């Protein structure tokens, strides 16, 4: 028996059986009493009965015909699929209009929101706890691989694409002003349908960093000495108590800045060695 879902968005529950797929979504059949866009193909999804499916976790809306080609994981499991988690660098809270939240997929308006300064990941303030830590990796240098032999894959971000964006594979429009859909590379700006990502031509599967490639320093050529730098420096956490000159402490309790610890000069009254001592410590940790 059908019953009103109480969501206030024109949805009516028609069947209570939940459908699980291999992308972590928990779909339930719904009837939509007004035209609404499918988040997969962007076509309208409405009818008299059993129109489509709604994920009860992340609000992903799809046609029944689109279930088999879904490529986007549910936000409930997306964090577990990230191989190398990278935290976002959030802007200060402010009103963001015309964008969709990458967590709950609802439009951001009249509600405080924040944005990642690096990868344009938009979320409501109350959705921050569920944000997926998949910001772009800015330093992936591998000393065991030659730079010419290393390639960089696209770092896709879902939705909020520029107007009139077209898919690199099928050349059809892959953006929508009405829902969160389409994929865009944070590095080069390549846009594509989520269903087309697996079939993108081989020459387009490697990120070329767009028009800035001739002057762009790729992440494969950058490394960060994470054993010596505090989490405050590479996670993007901002604290009121700390500043650039007191980011972490030395073994004797003195406040040091990164430039002090990694310089070749002597710091502090006791003559604490700089780069030479840091180099020896790293060699000991690596067993060299």
């Amino acid at each position: 028996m059908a019953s009103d879902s109480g969501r206030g968005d024109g949805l009516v529950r028609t069947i209570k059986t939940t459908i699980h797929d291999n992308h972590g979504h928990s779909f339930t059949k719904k009837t939509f009493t007004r035209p609404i866009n499918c988040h997969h193909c962007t076509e309208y999804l409405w009818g008299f009965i059993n129109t489509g499916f709604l994920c009860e976790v992340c609000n992903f809306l799809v046609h029944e015909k689109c279930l088999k080609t879904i490529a986007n994981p549910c936000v409930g499991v997306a964090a577990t699929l990230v191989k190398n988690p990278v935290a976002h660098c959030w802007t200060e809270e402010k009103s963001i209009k015309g964008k969709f939240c990458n967590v709950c997929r609802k439009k951001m308006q009249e509600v405080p929101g924040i944005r990642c300064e690096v990868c344009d990941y938009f979320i409501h303030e109350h959705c921050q706890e569920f944000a997926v830590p998949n910001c772009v990796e800015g330093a992936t240098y591998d000393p065991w691989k030659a730079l010419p032999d290393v390639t960089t894959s696209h770092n896709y971000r879902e939705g909020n694409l520029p107007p009139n964006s077209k898919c690199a594979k099928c050349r059809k429009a892959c953006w929508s002003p009405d829902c969160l859909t389409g994929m865009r590379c944070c590095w080069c700006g390549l846009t594509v349908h989520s269903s087309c990502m697996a079939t993108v031509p081989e020459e387009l599967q490697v990120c070329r960093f767009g028009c800035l490639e001739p002057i762009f320093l790729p992440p494969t050529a950058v490394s960060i000495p994470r054993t010596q730098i505090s989490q405050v420096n590479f996670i993007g956490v901002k604290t009121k108590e700390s500043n650039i000159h007191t980011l972490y402490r030395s073994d004797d309790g003195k406040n040091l800045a990164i430039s002090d610890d990694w310089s070749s000069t002597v710091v502090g009254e006791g003559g604490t060695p700089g780069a030479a001592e840091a180099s020896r410590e790293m060699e000991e940790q690596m067993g060299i």
Side-chain angles (χ1 to χ4, degrees):
M1 180 177 178
S3 60
D4 191 351
S5 65
R7 294 172 58 89
D9 55 1
L11 303 181
V12 178
R13 179 169 299 200
T14 59
I15 186 170
K16 294 184 178 180
T17 303
T18 301
I19 300 177
H20 299 273
D21 69 348
N22 59 351
H23 295 289
H25 293 287
S26 296
F27 287 115
T28 300
K29 268 194 173 183
K30 298 282 184 178
T31 293
F32 302 89
T33 57
R34 63 178 175 81
I36 193 168
N37 296 81
C38 171
H39 292 181
H40 185 67
C41 67
T42 72
E43 295 180 1
Y44 281 127
L45 194 157
W46 69 308
F48 292 105
I49 188 170
N50 295 353
T51 312
F53 292 83
L54 169 71
C55 177
E56 296 183 332
V57 177
C58 67
N59 299 316
F60 193 82
L61 297 170
V62 289
H63 291 101
E64 184 173 5
K65 65 179 182 179
C66 294
L67 283 175
K68 295 181 179 180
T69 55
I70 289 177
N72 299 88
C74 178
V75 70
V77 300
T80 63
L81 303 178
V82 180
K83 295 182 179 179
N84 299 310
V86 179
H88 297 283
C89 297
W90 303 115
T91 58
E92 298 296 330
E93 179 182 329
K94 63 179 182 179
S95 177
I96 299 176
K97 298 181 179 179
K99 302 295 183 180
F100 292 87
C101 176
N102 283 97
V103 173
C104 69
R105 311 186 72 88
K106 295 181 179 180
K107 200 158 192 176
M108 301 179 67
Q109 54 186 2
E110 308 299 332
V111 179
I114 52 179
R115 173 185 66 88
C116 176
E117 297 178 333
V118 179
C119 67
D120 282 342
Y121 188 90
F122 294 88
I123 58 172
H124 293 110
E125 180 190 17
H126 57 265
C127 292
Q128 185 174 3
E129 180 182 355
F130 306 100
V132 181
N134 60 347
C135 192
V136 295
E137 291 187 82
T140 59
Y141 173 70
D142 188 343
W144 308 110
K145 295 181 181 179
L147 290 179
D149 300 333
V150 180
T151 57
T152 302
S153 300
H154 293 290
N155 192 304
Y156 288 111
R157 180 69 63 241
E158 183 183 12
N160 299 312
L161 272 61
N164 303 318
S165 296
K166 292 186 177 181
C167 176
K169 171 65 170 59
C170 64
R171 306 307 303 170
K172 295 181 180 179
C174 59
W175 77 288
S176 174
D178 303 312
C179 64
L180 189 74
T181 188
M183 309 296 290
R184 180 175 181 270
C185 177
C186 299
W187 289 118
C188 66
L190 182 81
T191 55
V192 65
H193 290 110
S194 58
S195 57
C196 293
M197 286 193 300
T199 57
V200 170
E202 185 175 354
E203 62 272 15
L204 296 178
Q205 292 181 3
V206 177
C207 184
R208 303 296 183 187
F209 307 107
C211 60
L212 297 178
E213 182 183 11
I215 61 174
F216 191 84
L217 184 65
T220 54
V222 181
S223 64
I224 297 179
R226 295 175 184 263
T227 56
Q228 296 294 324
I229 296 182
S230 169
Q231 287 186 341
V232 174
N233 298 287
F234 63 86
I235 290 185
V237 178
K238 297 180 180 180
T239 58
K240 295 181 180 180
E241 296 77 15
S242 63
N243 55 55
I244 191 170
H245 297 295
T246 58
L247 294 177
Y248 60 97
R249 296 177 180 273
S250 62
D251 294 337
D252 56 0
K254 295 181 179 179
N255 292 327
L256 298 177
I258 299 178
S259 58
D260 294 332
D261 191 45
W262 286 93
S263 67
S264 58
T265 60
V266 176
V267 298
E269 298 178 357
T272 305
E277 181 177 334
S279 177
R280 287 195 297 271
E281 290 180 358
M282 291 187 67
E283 291 178 354
E284 292 176 359
Q285 293 176 5
M286 298 176 63
I288 298 177

